[in-house]
Amino acid sequence: MKKIALILSGCGVYDGSEIHETVLTMLAIEQHGAAYRCFAPNMTQHHVINHHTGEVSENESRNVLVESARIARGDVEDLNDLHVDEFDALIVPGGFGAAKNLCNFAIDGDNYTINEHVLAAGKAFAQAEKPAGYMCIAPALLPLIYPKGIQGTIGTDTGTANLIAAKGLAHCESPVDEVVIDPAHKVVTTPAYMLATSISEAAVGINRLVKSVIALIE
């Protein structure tokens, strides 16, 4: 059975992993006959958002690993314990946590950087030439992990795409139900909730991403 590592960034669209994207990814992996394990960096998340009001919760602090356990039903491991030789592929769901906790794109889009542990994990899969899937805003991580010219998509948002392209992403516009595949680097991307207006719309592209990633496993 093929084994896929998932890197989560918390719990909740505004300050962590997008819950629908993450659950749809888990479901698609199992439906395509593979298995997954979840990982997250053991760190304080950038901030906490009240998902009911959309406002920052002042004087509240949460841990990315602990919050990710909410989605993973407790079964999540420290990202430092992710060993590339135990897996066939990597998938990173989106949500603002990918742009606030895994990197700081949402805070400093002009000159953003990536978390060192996320960078090490991403590079390990890249150097091992193992497939990877990044969805929603998570492709912002790609030009910091792969060589300049890596192909990917965040959908059709030109302003956001240009910021990531400035770091080295060769951005390809894509509708919500399609994927962009960089065959040289075995990287698959899809817009997911960068474009999706419903969970069923998001599901189509995410399912194709998972299927494509598994198909690239040698």
Side-chain angles (χ1 to χ4, degrees), residues 7-215:
I7 295 181
L8 306 184
S9 58
C11 181
V13 57
Y14 300 127
D15 57 13
S17 288
E18 212 296 322
I19 296 172
H20 293 176
E21 290 179 0
T22 304
V23 174
L24 287 168
T25 299
M26 294 171 172
L27 177 62
I29 289 171
E30 289 195 352
Q31 288 178 331
H32 287 289
Y36 64 84
R37 282 164 54 195
C38 296
F39 296 85
N42 187 0
M43 59 180 282
T44 302
Q45 64 186 52
H46 173 67
H47 60 196
V48 178
I49 299 291
N50 179 324
H51 279 61
H52 182 61
T53 65
E55 298 176 352
V56 176
S57 296
E58 302 292 346
N59 303 317
E60 185 175 359
S61 177
R62 297 189 184 187
N63 179 280
V64 175
L65 178 64
V66 173
E67 289 300 293
S68 297
R70 292 177 178 272
I71 304 180
R73 295 175 61 86
D75 191 8
V76 62
E77 303 167 59
D78 191 315
L79 184 56
N80 288 335
D81 295 327
L82 196 169
H83 303 292
V84 66
D85 58 335
E86 297 178 0
F87 296 92
D88 300 293
L90 170 70
I91 294 180
V92 185
F96 273 103
K100 292 177 178 178
N101 302 325
L102 304 188
C103 71
N104 63 351
F105 177 74
I107 296 92
D108 191 7
D110 290 323
N111 192 32
Y112 68 100
T113 57
I114 187 172
N115 173 278
E116 61 179 327
H117 303 295
V118 176
L119 178 63
K123 279 189 171 292
F125 280 86
Q127 292 167 358
E129 298 183 347
K130 293 186 175 183
Y134 291 74
M135 67 188 70
C136 192
I137 195 60
L141 301 168
L142 292 177
L144 304 179
I145 295 172
Y146 291 86
K148 184 176 182 179
I150 178 73
Q151 296 177 47
T153 188
I154 51 88
T156 57
D157 184 334
T158 302
T160 301
N162 286 344
L163 289 172
I164 304 172
K167 285 288 191 179
L169 180 74
H171 186 263
C172 308
E173 287 200 354
S174 171
V176 66
D177 58 347
E178 294 293 343
V179 297
V180 169
I181 300 175
D182 183 321
H185 299 99
K186 299 180 181 177
V187 170
V188 186
T189 53
T190 193
Y193 271 104
M194 289 295 289
L195 289 178
T197 59
S198 67
I199 189 170
S200 57
E201 269 193 354
V204 178
I206 290 171
N207 188 65
R208 285 180 173 168
L209 179 144
V210 170
K211 183 178 180 179
S212 298
V213 166
I214 292 174

